[in-house]
Amino acid sequence: MNDALLKIVVAINGILWGKVLLVILVGCGIFFTISLKGIQLRKFAKAFKQAFGGFSLRGEKAGKEGMSSFQSLATAIAAQVGTGNLAGAATAIVSGGPGAIFWMWISAFFGMATIFAEAVLAQLFKKEVNGQVTGGPAYYLRYGLNSKFLSSFFAITIVLALGFIGNMVQANSIGTAFESAFHVNPLIVGIVLAIISGFIFVGGVARIASFTEKIVPIMAFFYIIGGLIILVIMGSDTLDAIRQIFVGAFNPSAVLGGAAGVAVKDAVRYGVARGLFSNEAGMGSTPHAHAIAKVDDPTQQGLVAIVGVFIDTFIVLNVSALVIIATGANLSGETGIAVTQKAFETGFGGFGLVFVAIALLFFAFSTIIGWYFFAEANIKYLFGEKGLTPYRIIVLAFIVLGTCLRVDLVWELADMFNGIMVIPNVIGLIGLSKLVKQALDKAEDNHIL
C-alpha cells in the first residue's frame, strides 16, 4: 500500500512542482521585489534593527492582545528552521545535486520580498476574535479579496499541510535520527513527542511564545557553531563545496558525473521545493505569527519577516548544505536526515550522530509547535473554539504516526500539500499587492521606515 500511495503522490507532485508552480512562486517574489523597489536589499539593515532592537532576555508576556515583534519572529523562525534545514537540505542535494542549493538561494532572495507582503497583509487584516488577536491568509483572503471560497480552501489546506502532514515530517525525522544515534524505537520517540507537545498546545499563545523566544536563539547558535567547526576542519573541501554549488546549478554532471542522471531541471525543482519547505516564503504559514505582533505600523513587521527568511536560508540552511557537500555525505547513498548525520559523523566522529539527533530534536520540535499554532488559527477560523480539542487530538496522533512511516512517502506528501496551499495564498498576495505598496509608501513618507 505504501508503494502504491507513493506512486500516486509522486505523480501529483510531478504536476504541482512542474514549471507552473515554480514560476508562480519565484514570479511572485520577482513581482514584489520590483514593486517594492528591492525592499529586501535597501531596508536590510533596518530590518535587523527592527527585529532585534527591542530584544530583552526577560522577554514580554504574550497574551490575547498578541506577541512582541521578537516573539512573533521567534515563532516564525521556530516554524521555518526545522527538518527543512537538516533533512530537507540533504534531500535537495541528493535529488538535485549541489546546485539545488543555488536555486534555494535564488528562491529565498525573492521570497524575502514575498514574505514582507505576507506579513504586511496579515497585519492589515488581523482581527480580534473572542477577545484574542488573530490573523493570516484566511483573513486577508476573506476580508481583503472578499472570497469566502479561497479563505476556506486555504484554511483547510494549511491544516492538512502543516498541522497534520507537516508535523508528520518533523516527527519522522526526529524518530529516524534518534533510532540511528541512540537505537531508540521511533514509536517511543513519537509518544514522548506527543506528550510534551500536548502540554505546550494547551498553554495557548502565551506558552508557545515563551517556548519559542527562549529555545530558537539557543538551538540556532549551537548548530551554527558546530557546523562552522566542521567547515574549518574540512579546509579546502569547504571551498570546493561552494564551487560545486555554483557549477552544479547549471551543469550538474560536471560535479556529479554523467551517471548521476541529475539535470538542471532537477536542481531547480528540488532547490525551490525544499527552499519553500524551509523558509516558507509564499506558503502562507508565517503570516499567522506576524499578524499578532504588537507593532506601530504593519510594514515594521514586514521587515521583521525578511529577517526570518535570511536566518533560515542564508545562515542555518547554508551551514547544513556546506557540511553535507564538503564531507561528501551526499554521495554516501543515504537519504533524508541520515545524510546530514553522515556529514556530521565525518566531521565529529561518533559524536556527530548525537549532535544531529539533538539539534534535530530542538529544530523539528520547535517547528511542530509553530506549525500547530499556525493551523490552530485556521481551525478557529473554520470551526471556532469547539474545533480545538478534536484538532489537538488528531495532531498528536499524526505526530506518533509520523515516526513510523517511510521518509520518502512523508516528504512527498508534505510537498504535495505545501504546493496546494501556495495557490490561494499567492492569488491573495497578487490581488492585494496595491495595499502592500500603499502601506510601504505611507510608512516611508512618514519616516516610519
Side-chain angles (χ1 to χ4, degrees):
M1 182 178 175
N2 242 0
D3 290 336
L5 181 59
L6 178 61
K7 288 180 180 178
I8 294 171
V9 176
V10 168
I12 294 173
N13 283 340
I15 298 171
L16 270 179
W17 290 103
K19 293 179 181 179
V20 176
L21 194 53
L22 300 186
V23 168
I24 288 174
L25 277 170
V26 179
C28 185
I30 293 173
F31 171 80
F32 278 109
T33 297
I34 295 171
S35 174
L36 305 177
K37 301 175 183 176
I39 184 73
Q40 66 270 58
L41 289 177
R42 61 190 182 88
K43 297 293 183 181
F44 187 72
K46 179 76 174 178
F48 271 82
K49 184 177 180 180
Q50 180 67 40
F52 300 107
F55 173 70
S56 170
L57 288 175
R58 291 194 307 171
E60 176 182 336
K61 186 170 178 60
K64 291 186 176 181
E65 71 281 3
M67 304 178 180
S68 70
S69 190
F70 178 77
Q71 287 170 334
S72 293
L73 174 64
T75 303
I77 293 178
Q80 291 168 307
V81 178
T83 57
N85 298 78
L86 282 77
T91 304
I93 296 168
V94 170
S95 302
I101 301 304
F102 175 85
W103 297 108
M104 276 190 177
W105 295 343
I106 296 299
S107 64
F109 172 75
F110 291 118
M112 291 162 93
T114 302
I115 211 164
F116 174 88
E118 288 182 297
V120 169
L121 288 174
Q123 279 283 322
L124 287 173
F125 291 97
K126 64 183 178 182
K127 300 287 182 181
E128 187 174 305
V129 180
N130 296 325
Q132 184 166 331
V133 175
T134 188
Y139 289 87
Y140 56 71
L141 287 168
R142 173 66 182 88
Y143 300 105
L145 276 189
N146 295 314
S147 176
K148 289 183 179 180
F149 170 76
L150 285 179
S151 62
S152 298
F153 181 75
F154 175 85
I156 292 169
T157 55
I158 193 172
V159 170
L160 293 173
L162 301 189
F164 300 157
I165 304 299
N167 280 333
M168 288 175 68
V169 169
Q170 309 304 322
N172 182 278
S173 292
I174 295 175
T176 301
F178 267 65
E179 184 178 32
S180 299
F182 306 112
H183 307 292
V184 179
N185 188 322
L187 179 60
I188 295 175
V189 175
I191 293 172
V192 173
L193 283 175
I195 292 171
I196 300 173
S197 298
F199 171 75
I200 296 176
F201 293 169
V202 298
V205 65
R207 191 172 292 169
I208 289 171
S210 177
F211 172 81
T212 57
E213 74 173 340
K214 292 177 177 63
I215 202 67
V216 167
I218 295 172
M219 72 179 191
F221 174 78
F222 282 106
Y223 183 72
I224 291 167
I225 293 300
L228 290 177
I229 290 172
I230 293 179
L231 293 176
V232 171
I233 292 172
M234 296 306 296
S236 60
D237 289 324
T238 298
L239 295 177
D240 186 64
I242 297 173
R243 179 195 68 82
Q244 289 186 50
I245 290 172
F246 283 98
V247 174
F250 304 98
N251 188 6
S253 62
V255 295
L256 294 175
V262 176
V264 173
K265 67 177 182 179
D266 297 313
V268 175
R269 186 252 170 172
Y270 284 98
V272 176
R274 292 291 177 257
L276 167 67
F277 190 83
S278 176
N279 63 56
E280 303 182 28
M283 201 162 80
S285 51
T286 59
H288 298 90
H290 297 302
I292 63 174
K294 293 178 285 189
V295 290
D296 297 325
D297 188 88
T299 58
Q300 293 175 322
Q301 196 61 28
L303 292 185
V304 172
I306 287 175
V307 175
V309 174
F310 181 81
I311 292 174
D312 171 85
T313 303
F314 291 101
I315 298 180
V316 181
L317 188 143
N318 270 357
V319 168
S320 296
L322 289 173
V323 169
I324 288 169
I325 300 169
T327 58
N330 55 305
L331 304 176
S332 65
E334 302 284 358
T335 60
I337 192 61
V339 178
T340 311
Q341 287 184 306
K342 182 68 176 179
F344 277 83
E345 185 179 21
T346 301
F348 285 150
F351 174 69
L353 289 174
V354 176
F355 180 84
V356 172
I358 294 174
L360 189 70
L361 172 64
F362 285 105
F363 278 36
F365 183 66
S366 67
T367 298
I368 288 173
I369 302 306
W371 281 359
Y372 163 83
F373 172 66
F374 297 163
E376 180 192 72
N378 290 274
I379 287 291
K380 290 179 180 178
Y381 174 80
L382 292 167
F383 307 109
E385 297 286 333
K386 67 178 182 294
L388 286 184
T389 298
Y391 167 65
R392 286 170 179 165
I393 293 172
I394 295 172
V395 170
L396 296 177
F398 269 71
I399 289 172
V400 176
L401 178 63
T403 59
C404 307
L405 292 181
R406 279 170 42 182
V407 66
D408 48 1
L409 175 59
V410 173
W411 276 105
E412 290 291 345
L413 283 169
D415 272 354
M416 182 179 73
F417 283 101
N418 287 343
I420 292 172
M421 66 182 276
V422 164
I423 297 170
N425 184 55
V426 169
I427 291 173
L429 292 176
I430 299 299
L432 299 170
S433 59
K434 287 184 179 179
L435 296 182
V436 179
K437 181 71 165 59
Q438 289 170 4
L440 178 58
D441 289 343
K442 181 180 177 182
E444 292 185 314
D445 289 342
N446 293 330
H447 305 289
I448 295 174
L449 293 190

